[in-house]
Amino acid sequence: MFKKRFLVLRLLQFLTILVLCGIITYYFISLKSDSNDIRYQQTQKFAYSLTNLAAAEATRYLSQEKKENLQLLIDDLSNDPIVRDATVYDQLGQIIYQSNNVLPLPVLLNIGNNKRKKETIGVIPYIAELYVDQTKIGYLRITLEQKRILSLIQDYQDRGFSILIFMILLSFAAGIIFMAMFYRRTKAFYKNFIQEMPKLIEDAKNEANKYIK
């Protein structure tokens, strides 16, 4: 009887471990998937914020005809490691100023046969219209290195997951040490409890019979 109870207990413990491992795996995969979605969303938000901020500055310089400041703005943008190039157009689409080594629109949009298609991999253009008093005065195009932005976020997430896995392993090791420290006491207590169980049941029956009489 004792052996049967022991086997049932071990089976329940094993099933509990399997269920817990399944839950941990499920939430880990879900967390990984959600982090990838958030990574792309944050990249889009960052790109729009950068484009709108640069567009506000470009509008001010263009409306005030401060060409030197406009050139400095474009050069500063293009010097950023996550920016591939930047270009300012007038309201007719003519180039006013652009950064060095800019990707032409036909190459960027993969129009026609060109030998620079590899340069367009992982880059995304963002275009903002420039308005003054509801009058369009030009456009700003910024081409971002999306792969580089994603890689920066990926490195941060990988460090976070590494720390999470390390903490789980530490918790598992701490649990093993805790069980090793109290295993003998727990085993002795359980054994005494099983041995005393028939006596406790018998005492309870005797007490119940006294009240019945």
Side-chain angles (χ1 to χ4, degrees):
M1 187 68 178
F2 175 75
K3 187 176 181 180
K4 185 177 180 180
R5 290 180 179 177
F6 179 79
L7 291 176
V8 171
L9 180 61
R10 282 290 181 265
L11 179 60
L12 290 175
Q13 290 173 342
F14 180 72
L15 292 176
T16 302
I17 291 173
L18 287 180
V19 171
L20 291 176
C21 289
I23 293 173
I24 291 172
T25 303
Y26 170 77
Y27 279 105
F28 184 81
I29 294 174
S30 298
L31 184 62
K32 192 77 172 177
S33 177
D34 292 342
S35 66
N36 288 333
D37 294 338
I38 293 174
R39 184 176 59 175
Y40 280 96
Q41 292 174 8
Q42 292 299 320
T43 302
Q44 293 292 333
K45 290 180 180 179
F46 170 78
Y48 284 120
S49 298
L50 177 63
T51 303
N52 291 333
L53 181 61
E57 291 294 311
T59 300
R60 183 161 62 90
Y61 294 145
L62 189 59
S63 62
Q64 296 176 0
E65 297 183 356
K66 295 181 178 180
K67 293 185 177 180
E68 292 184 358
N69 291 335
L70 185 62
Q71 292 175 3
L72 287 174
L73 172 66
I74 298 302
D75 291 337
D76 287 341
L77 284 172
S78 61
N79 289 331
D80 193 301
I82 64 173
V83 177
R84 174 61 178 79
D85 58 52
T87 305
V88 176
Y89 304 89
D90 63 14
Q91 69 274 20
L92 300 177
Q94 301 297 319
I95 296 175
I96 298 176
Y97 187 78
Q98 62 183 11
S99 59
N100 296 326
N101 196 25
V102 66
L103 281 175
L105 278 176
V107 175
L108 190 60
L109 301 177
N110 290 323
I111 298 175
N113 297 323
N114 59 76
K115 299 179 181 180
R116 302 179 62 182
K117 286 186 177 181
K118 291 183 178 180
E119 298 183 45
T120 64
I121 299 175
V123 299
I124 297 181
Y126 292 87
I127 298 176
E129 297 178 332
L130 310 181
Y131 283 91
V132 173
D133 296 331
Q134 298 183 349
T135 301
K136 187 184 297 182
I137 62 172
Y139 304 88
L140 172 68
R141 189 193 83 189
I142 299 177
T143 306
L144 296 181
E145 299 274 5
Q146 188 185 45
K147 289 179 63 177
R148 186 168 295 179
I149 301 174
L150 292 174
S151 66
L152 293 174
I153 301 176
Q154 182 66 44
D155 291 341
Y156 177 79
Q157 289 181 349
D158 289 342
R159 287 196 298 270
F161 279 115
S162 298
I163 294 173
L164 178 62
I165 294 173
F166 183 67
M167 291 178 63
I168 292 174
L169 293 176
L170 284 180
S171 300
F172 181 73
I176 293 176
I177 295 172
F178 180 82
M179 289 299 298
M181 291 174 59
F182 295 96
Y183 174 73
R184 290 184 179 180
R185 290 185 181 181
T186 305
K187 185 178 180 181
F189 174 80
Y190 180 75
K191 186 176 181 179
N192 292 332
F193 179 76
I194 294 298
Q195 291 175 351
E196 295 292 331
M197 181 63 71
K199 184 180 178 180
L200 292 173
I201 294 174
E202 189 64 28
D203 291 342
K205 287 182 179 179
N206 294 332
E207 290 292 330
N209 290 331
K210 287 180 180 180
Y211 285 108
I212 292 174
K213 293 178 180 180

